[in-house]
Amino acid sequence: GAPDRVVSNSMVVPAGTTSNANIAPLKYFEAWNRRDMDDAIRQFASDATYDDTAFPEPFVGQDALRKHLLLCAECFPPSFSFEVEDFVESDGAVCIKWHVENNGEELPFTQGCSFYEISREGLISDGIDFLVPSVVQPGGARLLTDTVRTQITEEPVRLVPLAVWIAYIWIVFFSDGILPGANALQLEQRTWEEVLQLSLNFFLVSPILNLPLSPTIHPMLEGVFNLLLSWAAMFAGFLSDDRKDKPNLFPMLPAVVGMQFLTSAFLLPYLAIRSRETRSNVAMPDLSTVARACESPLL
């Protein structure tokens, strides 16, 4: 049937028109522009499905959607806002046409249209965004590049770990003559055998248990190898840096696991793109199970 009403060229709700002000998708847009993600999430049903077509998979449930919105908010500077051009409301559904502005100026190729299904409780139960068409879905890669660019612009100090990481990767994996021996891509068979043997003696567990698979290795090599592993393992105490209200594009847990193999190759990019900390105190219930375990006095 015909839509109940059409509102054009304004997101401002005139005084006294509470029906428009209570439309969940409009409240969602307004909350997003304030970066109030708690209020934004409250506009969705607990089992809502949200399909941002710039990304390969839809987000199901409030937890997945919250993480997505927080990452997007980290990506975009505060001057970015989603402006509603038109919206149409019908029985149980809302369609919104929007674009993105930066300091009040419309950005090119940021127009889109969103469709929402509304539950009986007045919350968004299903939503989908359609952007200006593109050949591929660049969501994850674009989010990463936009996040890095925004973070470096707002905090130039992030260039330090990023520059050190690039230098580290070049020196360790590709350069010849800077470090003794061949680069990591041209290692001899004997070197790979030593790496395997050191890995088998991980934290000296095999020698202590006198396992038959434990090889005999030069004690200096074992000492240096396990010292580096211990240094990397101590960063498990920083798993509290990942929380529901502070997700990271590169989570800390994979970074700590990767550091057991390539140390700074994982730590440096994490430092460059980690989300900003906005809280001075973090309570234990806010942490994941793994993070709480790593905060245990036993460790």
Side-chain angles (χ1 to χ4, degrees), residues 18 47 82 84 86 106 127 139 144 148 176 192 212 217 231 236 243 251 290 296:
T18 56
D47 58 348
F82 285 84
V84 172
D86 307 285
E106 182 177 347
L144 174 62
V148 174
D176 289 311
W192 288 113
I217 311 173
W231 175 78
R243 305 185 300 276
V290 177
S296 170

Side-chain angles (χ1 to χ4, degrees), residues 206-225:
S206 296
I208 292 174
L209 297 179
N210 197 28
L211 298 179
L213 54 82
S214 175
T216 302
I217 311 173
H218 194 290
M220 180 63 74
L221 281 178
E222 280 194 303
V224 172
F225 181 77

Side-chain angles (χ1 to χ4, degrees), residues 248-265:
N248 294 290
L249 277 176
F250 182 22
M252 189 60 181
L253 181 57
V256 171
V257 173
M259 286 172 64
Q260 302 302 307
F261 302 93
L262 290 174
T263 56
S264 297

Side-chain angles (χ1 to χ4, degrees), residues 146-164:
D146 286 351
T147 298
V148 174
R149 181 171 60 251
T150 300
Q151 289 178 332
I152 289 176
T153 300
E154 296 183 351
E155 299 177 278
V157 71
R158 292 178 184 267
L159 281 172
V160 175
L162 185 60
V164 173

Side-chain angles (χ1 to χ4, degrees), residues 128-156:
I128 184 170
D129 293 336
F130 292 99
L131 307 177
V132 173
S134 59
V135 177
V136 297
Q137 293 182 331
R142 185 176 64 188
L143 184 61
L144 174 62
T145 56
D146 286 351
T147 298
V148 174
R149 181 171 60 251
T150 300
Q151 289 178 332
I152 289 176
T153 300
E154 296 183 351
E155 299 177 278

